[in-house]
Amino acid sequence: MSEFRVAPARLDGAGYSILEDASLAGRNTLRVAARAALLVDLRASTALAEVLAFPLIAGAPLLVLGEGSNLLLTRDVSGVVLSLSTRGISIVEERDGYALVRAEAGESWNDLVHWTLGRGLAGLENLALIPGTVGAAPIQNIGAYGVELAEFVDSVEAWDRDAAAPRRFSAIDCAFGYRDSLFKREPGRYIVTALSLRLPRTPALRLDYAGVREELAAMHVDVPTPALVAEAISRLRRRKLPDPAVIGNAGSFFKNPVIPAEQAAALSAAHPQLPSWPQGEDRRKLSAAWLIEQAGYKGRRDGDAGIAAQHALVLVNHGHASGAELWAFARRVQAAVLERFGVALEAEPRIV
């Protein structure tokens, strides 16, 4: 079927299904009870062009959804939600001690990390247990424990809605920044469909981030391997961050702010315990968690919206908070930090 005029309750095609007035409550980890006017489940990337050409979808506002782990829905979605569940991981080429790994956008990010480790490839171990899909990873330029995805990206495949054609982007083309990319800056234009990573077979382990060496020591590891580092990172994350299966959350909700070095120096003089790290010659990154905790919001709640007691970066839904209530609480956190420290916090997830 190539087109339809009035969307039926459900339409199934080769590699996709379309559902009207669909609940998104089980498709976002903050457990917000939002709905989509039209929900497309895409199982095959080859069906994307056909789906996007349907009259009710072509040109309509489009929200691309993976696991919904980096998203806050403040309202129902009146346009189209495209949920990518495409699967496939393979080594497509070996080059001088490196392997080129290609993964479809719908794959679980953590599954990809362990798939690569199981085949003797290194690089992604510090990014273990980050929630979300492969397709979301380059959009956000995910990072953790001293490592960013951008270091390993060879290319990103995406559908360009403006050109109605597929495109391949080199790592430079992606314009990666701190939790940022070209795809994040133009959310309505590009749909990431696959990711290719250049991963080394000889590991260069990153162990200097706070807590990593201590966790390895607690595991009685004398000679770390990438797989053991991934296990240490996973243990750290499980202890520090609440489990979305237990309490609704989207992981770290606020970015660590990067500010001018002069401003950071003044703040450090007034608050000697404030953690900060150099970002080039004239800027420093501050700990958003420390700022939030000092502002009195760690573990605080208003109704079912709150900040996790385990980690001040994590916005949580204790039960039935709406997306609007969660966002209002997050805005109060931002206002409190700005008033006390003069630092503006940015939300890390996409706010819809």
Side-chain angles (χ1 to χ4, degrees):
M1 182 175 183
S2 61
E3 66 178 33
F4 55 92
R5 294 185 180 278
V6 178
R10 182 183 179 92
L11 173 67
D12 291 299
Y16 66 87
S17 60
I18 301 175
L19 184 65
E20 275 189 309
D21 188 28
S23 171
L24 300 176
R27 294 174 180 262
N28 70 96
T29 59
L30 273 164
R31 302 183 187 175
V32 171
R35 303 189 72 81
L38 211 61
L39 173 65
V40 180
D41 272 308
L42 190 78
R43 300 179 300 276
S45 57
T46 53
L48 183 58
E50 178 184 354
V51 167
L52 293 178
F54 288 159
L56 287 180
I57 297 175
L62 185 70
L63 173 65
V64 180
L65 188 65
E67 292 181 359
S69 60
N70 197 50
L71 175 72
L72 173 57
L73 296 165
T74 63
R75 53 180 173 77
D76 290 338
V77 181
S78 58
V80 180
V81 173
L82 175 64
S83 178
L84 296 174
S85 56
T86 52
R87 296 287 187 269
I89 309 174
S90 61
I91 294 176
V92 296
E93 191 176 343
E94 295 274 0
R95 306 176 183 171
D96 302 325
Y98 290 81
L100 194 63
V101 175
R102 182 184 181 279
E104 291 283 344
E107 287 284 350
S108 157
W109 172 258
N110 194 50
D111 287 352
L112 172 62
V113 171
H114 288 282
W115 190 95
T116 63
L117 292 172
R119 284 155 181 80
L121 298 172
L124 304 185
E125 54 274 1
N126 289 47
L127 305 180
L129 210 64
I130 293 179
T133 59
V134 167
I139 296 171
Q140 187 71 3
N141 186 20
I142 58 172
Y145 293 92
V147 174
E148 282 192 341
L149 174 69
E151 301 172 46
F152 302 101
V153 171
D154 180 85
S155 64
V156 174
E157 296 168 45
W159 182 269
D160 183 345
R161 292 192 79 196
D162 286 359
R167 288 185 58 183
R168 183 184 297 271
F169 296 84
S170 70
I172 293 176
D173 294 335
C174 294
F176 289 121
Y178 173 57
R179 303 295 179 271
D180 196 21
S181 69
L182 168 72
F183 313 108
K184 188 173 183 178
R185 291 191 291 274
E186 298 191 54
R189 179 172 180 179
Y190 299 112
I191 302 169
V192 174
T193 55
L195 173 65
S196 293
L197 300 171
R198 188 172 181 265
L199 301 175
R201 291 206 172 272
T202 302
L205 300 178
R206 313 276 186 88
L207 308 177
D208 292 333
Y209 199 93
V212 177
R213 291 186 186 275
E214 292 81 358
E215 190 65 28
L216 288 166
M219 293 166 56
H220 307 290
V221 173
D222 296 322
V223 182
T225 64
L228 288 170
V229 172
E231 176 60 24
I233 297 295
S234 297
R235 292 185 183 202
L236 285 167
R237 291 185 67 90
R238 289 190 185 102
R239 270 204 312 277
K240 287 185 175 183
L241 301 173
D243 185 349
V246 177
I247 184 169
N249 74 88
S252 296
F253 192 86
F254 300 98
K255 295 181 185 179
N256 287 323
V258 178
I259 65 174
E262 183 177 347
Q263 181 186 4
L267 281 170
S268 294
H271 308 280
Q273 302 304 313
L274 170 60
S276 68
W277 305 271
Q279 297 288 293
E281 295 183 359
D282 58 355
R283 298 181 72 78
R284 291 189 72 86
K285 182 191 295 182
L286 307 182
S287 168
W290 189 92
L291 296 171
I292 293 166
E293 185 169 357
Q294 296 304 306
Y297 272 85
K298 183 178 181 181
R300 187 167 166 179
R301 65 184 286 182
D302 182 1
D304 281 343
I307 293 293
Q310 301 101 309
H311 202 302
L313 283 184
V314 183
L315 183 73
V316 292
N317 186 348
H318 288 280
H320 301 287
S322 68
E325 289 168 340
L326 288 165
W327 182 227
F329 189 89
R331 295 294 298 271
R332 289 199 290 276
V333 174
Q334 291 172 317
V337 169
L338 182 62
E339 180 179 3
R340 178 160 182 185
F341 299 104
V343 175
L345 295 183
E346 292 183 40
E348 188 169 316
R350 184 175 178 187
I351 313 299
V352 176

